[in-house]
Amino acid sequence: MTDAALDVQLPIETERLVLRAHRMGDLDDLAAFHGDPAVVRYVPWPVRDRAATEEALRAKLAQTELRAHGQWLVLGVELRETGHVIGEVLLKWASDRQGEVGFAFAREHQGRGYAAEAATAMLRLGFDHLGFHRVCAVVIDGNEASGRLLGRLGFRQEARHVDGVLFKGDWATQLVFAMLEDEWRRARPRG
Protein backbone atom coordinates (compact mmCIF):
# COMPACT_ATOMS: atom_id res chain seq x y z
CA MET A 1 0.00 0.00 0.00
CA THR A 2 1.37 3.40 -0.92
CA ASP A 3 0.39 6.85 0.24
CA ALA A 4 -2.33 6.97 -2.43
CA ALA A 5 -5.96 7.47 -1.42
CA LEU A 6 -7.73 4.44 -0.01
CA ASP A 7 -11.01 3.39 -1.62
CA VAL A 8 -13.83 3.49 0.93
CA GLN A 9 -17.26 2.44 -0.31
CA LEU A 10 -20.15 3.91 1.68
CA PRO A 11 -22.54 3.15 3.22
CA ILE A 12 -21.41 0.08 5.14
CA GLU A 13 -24.33 -2.06 6.23
CA THR A 14 -24.48 -4.57 9.05
CA GLU A 15 -27.35 -6.63 10.43
CA ARG A 16 -28.82 -3.78 12.49
CA LEU A 17 -26.82 -0.71 11.46
CA VAL A 18 -25.92 1.54 8.55
CA LEU A 19 -22.51 3.22 8.84
CA ARG A 20 -22.67 6.26 6.61
CA ALA A 21 -21.41 9.75 5.97
CA HIS A 22 -22.91 12.32 8.30
CA ARG A 23 -25.66 14.66 7.09
CA MET A 24 -26.82 17.97 8.55
CA GLY A 25 -30.07 16.19 9.43
CA ASP A 26 -28.11 14.24 12.05
CA LEU A 27 -27.76 17.32 14.26
CA ASP A 28 -30.55 16.51 16.74
CA ASP A 29 -29.34 12.93 17.21
CA LEU A 30 -25.71 14.02 17.67
CA ALA A 31 -26.58 16.89 20.01
CA ALA A 32 -28.33 14.42 22.31
CA PHE A 33 -25.19 12.40 23.00
CA HIS A 34 -22.47 14.99 22.36
CA GLY A 35 -24.03 16.95 25.21
CA ASP A 36 -24.17 14.00 27.62
CA PRO A 37 -21.30 14.16 30.16
CA ALA A 38 -21.48 10.38 30.71
CA VAL A 39 -20.93 9.74 26.99
CA VAL A 40 -18.09 12.22 26.45
CA ARG A 41 -16.25 11.45 29.70
CA TYR A 42 -13.61 9.36 27.90
CA VAL A 43 -13.68 10.87 24.40
CA PRO A 44 -11.45 13.74 23.27
CA TRP A 45 -14.18 16.31 22.79
CA PRO A 46 -15.83 18.31 25.59
CA VAL A 47 -19.54 18.33 26.43
CA ARG A 48 -21.04 20.22 23.51
CA ASP A 49 -24.12 22.38 23.29
CA ARG A 50 -26.18 22.40 20.08
CA ALA A 51 -24.10 25.15 18.44
CA ALA A 52 -20.79 23.37 19.17
CA THR A 53 -22.28 20.08 17.95
CA GLU A 54 -23.36 21.78 14.72
CA GLU A 55 -19.85 23.16 14.22
CA ALA A 56 -18.36 19.69 14.79
CA LEU A 57 -20.92 18.14 12.44
CA ARG A 58 -19.95 20.54 9.65
CA ALA A 59 -16.35 19.32 9.97
CA LYS A 60 -17.47 15.68 9.97
CA LEU A 61 -19.27 16.15 6.64
CA ALA A 62 -15.87 16.17 4.94
CA GLN A 63 -14.42 13.19 6.85
CA THR A 64 -15.66 10.54 4.44
CA GLU A 65 -12.43 9.69 2.63
CA LEU A 66 -8.96 8.48 3.46
CA ARG A 67 -6.62 10.37 1.14
CA ALA A 68 -3.51 10.68 3.33
CA HIS A 69 -1.90 9.35 6.48
CA GLY A 70 -3.36 10.98 9.58
CA GLN A 71 -6.89 11.33 8.23
CA TRP A 72 -9.94 10.05 10.09
CA LEU A 73 -12.97 8.47 8.45
CA VAL A 74 -15.87 9.54 10.70
CA LEU A 75 -19.21 7.83 10.14
CA GLY A 76 -22.62 8.16 11.69
CA VAL A 77 -24.04 4.90 13.02
CA GLU A 78 -27.68 4.77 12.01
CA LEU A 79 -30.01 2.26 13.63
CA ARG A 80 -31.89 0.61 10.75
CA GLU A 81 -35.00 0.12 12.86
CA THR A 82 -35.49 3.84 13.54
CA GLY A 83 -33.31 5.72 11.03
CA HIS A 84 -31.72 7.67 13.91
CA VAL A 85 -28.00 8.14 14.43
CA ILE A 86 -27.15 6.44 17.73
CA GLY A 87 -23.39 6.82 17.64
CA GLU A 88 -20.24 7.39 15.66
CA VAL A 89 -17.45 5.10 14.55
CA LEU A 90 -14.04 6.21 13.32
CA LEU A 91 -11.14 4.72 11.40
CA LYS A 92 -7.86 6.57 11.08
CA TRP A 93 -5.30 5.88 8.38
CA ALA A 94 -2.42 6.26 10.82
CA SER A 95 0.48 5.32 8.56
CA ASP A 96 1.38 2.81 5.88
CA ARG A 97 -0.91 -0.21 6.46
CA GLN A 98 -1.77 0.92 9.99
CA GLY A 99 -5.02 2.22 11.38
CA GLU A 100 -6.75 3.26 14.56
CA VAL A 101 -10.39 2.66 15.46
CA GLY A 102 -12.67 4.61 17.79
CA PHE A 103 -16.35 4.82 18.71
CA ALA A 104 -18.89 6.70 20.83
CA PHE A 105 -22.55 5.80 21.39
CA ALA A 106 -25.56 7.45 22.97
CA ARG A 107 -26.02 6.19 26.52
CA GLU A 108 -29.44 4.64 25.87
CA HIS A 109 -27.92 2.52 23.09
CA GLN A 110 -24.92 1.24 25.04
CA GLY A 111 -24.79 -2.36 26.19
CA ARG A 112 -26.76 -3.71 23.22
CA GLY A 113 -23.86 -4.80 21.03
CA TYR A 114 -24.10 -1.87 18.61
CA ALA A 115 -20.55 -0.67 19.30
CA ALA A 116 -19.18 -4.18 18.71
CA GLU A 117 -21.16 -4.50 15.47
CA ALA A 118 -19.98 -1.11 14.19
CA ALA A 119 -16.36 -1.62 15.27
CA THR A 120 -16.29 -5.05 13.63
CA ALA A 121 -17.48 -3.47 10.38
CA MET A 122 -14.66 -0.92 10.61
CA LEU A 123 -12.11 -3.66 11.28
CA ARG A 124 -13.43 -5.55 8.26
CA LEU A 125 -13.00 -2.37 6.21
CA GLY A 126 -9.47 -1.84 7.50
CA PHE A 127 -8.18 -5.40 7.23
CA ASP A 128 -10.22 -6.93 4.40
CA HIS A 129 -10.70 -3.95 2.08
CA LEU A 130 -7.94 -1.44 2.81
CA GLY A 131 -5.16 -3.93 3.47
CA PHE A 132 -4.17 -2.76 6.95
CA HIS A 133 -1.56 -4.83 8.76
CA ARG A 134 -2.32 -3.44 12.24
CA VAL A 135 -5.19 -1.55 13.86
CA CYS A 136 -4.93 -0.02 17.31
CA ALA A 137 -7.31 1.67 19.72
CA VAL A 138 -6.34 4.11 22.46
CA VAL A 139 -8.46 4.20 25.61
CA ILE A 140 -8.26 6.47 28.63
CA ASP A 141 -7.66 4.39 31.77
CA GLY A 142 -10.95 3.98 33.62
CA ASN A 143 -12.99 3.41 30.47
CA GLU A 144 -13.56 -0.20 31.40
CA ALA A 145 -16.49 -0.76 29.02
CA SER A 146 -14.39 0.11 25.96
CA GLY A 147 -11.47 -1.99 27.21
CA ARG A 148 -13.76 -5.02 27.65
CA LEU A 149 -15.29 -4.47 24.21
CA LEU A 150 -11.87 -4.33 22.57
CA GLY A 151 -10.93 -7.56 24.33
CA ARG A 152 -14.07 -9.28 23.03
CA LEU A 153 -13.20 -8.09 19.52
CA GLY A 154 -9.78 -9.76 19.76
CA PHE A 155 -7.57 -6.78 20.62
CA ARG A 156 -4.79 -7.22 23.14
CA GLN A 157 -3.48 -4.50 25.41
CA GLU A 158 0.02 -3.58 24.27
CA ALA A 159 0.88 -0.61 26.43
CA ARG A 160 -0.04 1.50 29.41
CA HIS A 161 1.28 5.06 29.23
CA VAL A 162 1.06 6.47 32.76
CA ASP A 163 0.16 10.17 32.62
CA GLY A 164 0.90 9.92 28.91
CA VAL A 165 -1.54 12.56 27.73
CA LEU A 166 -3.01 15.84 28.89
CA PHE A 167 -6.71 14.97 28.65
CA LYS A 168 -9.40 17.54 29.41
CA GLY A 169 -7.05 19.56 31.59
CA ASP A 170 -5.55 16.71 33.61
CA TRP A 171 -2.86 14.12 33.03
CA ALA A 172 -4.38 10.77 32.09
CA THR A 173 -3.10 7.27 31.56
CA GLN A 174 -3.61 5.83 28.09
CA LEU A 175 -4.11 2.15 27.33
CA VAL A 176 -3.07 1.07 23.85
CA PHE A 177 -4.80 -1.96 22.35
CA ALA A 178 -3.96 -3.51 18.98
CA MET A 179 -4.81 -6.30 16.59
CA LEU A 180 -2.73 -7.61 13.69
CA GLU A 181 -4.09 -8.72 10.34
CA ASP A 182 -3.19 -12.39 10.95
CA GLU A 183 -4.96 -12.26 14.34
CA TRP A 184 -8.05 -10.87 12.60
CA ARG A 185 -7.91 -13.65 10.00
CA ARG A 186 -7.52 -16.40 12.62
CA ALA A 187 -10.44 -15.05 14.63
CA ARG A 188 -12.68 -14.76 11.57
CA PRO A 189 -11.97 -17.63 9.17
CA ARG A 190 -13.39 -17.19 5.71
CA GLY A 191 -15.84 -19.75 4.47
Side-chain angles (χ1 to χ4, degrees), residues 30-135:
L30 292 179
F33 72 88
H34 280 223
D36 184 343
V39 172
V40 304
R41 179 176 179 192
Y42 295 112
V43 297
W45 68 76
V47 173
R48 292 178 174 149
D49 62 15
R50 185 177 176 82
T53 302
E54 181 176 352
E55 183 180 336
L57 175 56
R58 290 188 187 283
K60 292 171 194 286
L61 296 176
Q63 294 178 299
T64 59
E65 299 177 312
L66 294 173
R67 297 198 168 279
H69 294 164
Q71 282 189 310
W72 285 94
L73 174 69
V74 181
L75 302 178
V77 179
E78 179 182 301
L79 184 59
R80 284 179 185 267
E81 184 179 305
T82 64
H84 288 282
V85 172
I86 62 168
E88 295 177 291
V89 67
L90 304 87
L91 183 66
K92 180 181 183 180
W93 185 12
S95 61
D96 193 35
R97 296 195 65 205
Q98 296 201 46
E100 181 178 341
V101 69
F103 43 83
F105 280 78
R107 191 175 355 167
E108 63 271 20
H109 296 287
Q110 295 175 3
R112 298 181 186 185
Y114 297 132
E117 191 172 326
T120 298
M122 294 304 266
L123 292 170
R124 188 174 297 115
L125 172 65
F127 288 123
D128 295 345
H129 299 287
L130 302 179
F132 286 175
H133 171 70
R134 180 178 183 275
V135 175

Side-chain angles (χ1 to χ4, degrees), residues 120 123-124 127-128 150-155 179-190:
T120 298
L123 292 170
R124 188 174 297 115
F127 288 123
D128 295 345
L150 292 167
R152 286 194 309 273
L153 292 174
F155 282 79
M179 179 188 298
L180 298 176
E181 180 182 12
D182 62 340
E183 294 167 329
W184 166 259
R185 304 249 178 266
R186 280 195 305 270
R188 286 153 189 80
R190 293 184 162 172

